[in-house]
Amino acid sequence: MAACTHLDSVEILALPEPVEGCEECLATGGRWVHLRMCQSCGHIGCCDNSPGRHATAHHDSSGHPIIRSAEPAEDWSWCYEDELMFRLRAS
């Protein structure tokens, strides 16, 4: 079974309260479909179905490998580098 090799980069598990929206879209008046949170720094960006694709753009510029869904009732994470989806739980 494949395993994520970037778990040591995770600094943030919980979402902020509240999540206002994609940081870049809010700044430019853009729109988003779904929100994702970088688990290294907490950046909130929009998904790849959104026009701006800001979560992926953040990964590309920062190198931060893991995001999690910032959507209500979703708790999955995605590693861009290993191309794996998984769930992280606080220990």
Side-chain angles (χ1 to χ4, degrees), residues 3-73:
C4 177
T5 59
H6 299 89
L7 295 177
D8 60 342
S9 71
V10 173
E11 298 287 332
I12 304 167
L13 290 174
L15 295 172
E17 289 286 336
V19 174
E20 299 292 333
C22 172
E23 295 173 18
E24 288 83 1
C25 290
L26 287 169
T28 63
R31 64 177 188 83
W32 58 87
V33 178
H34 299 289
L35 298 173
R36 309 293 182 238
M37 181 189 78
C38 174
Q39 291 195 266
S40 294
C41 70
H43 174 271
I44 302 291
C46 54
C47 72
D48 285 354
N49 290 329
S50 302
R53 301 181 63 197
H54 291 121
T56 296
H58 175 74
H59 160 70
D60 291 344
S61 66
S62 69
H64 296 163
I66 301 175
I67 58 169
R68 67 158 285 175
S69 175
E71 294 297 308

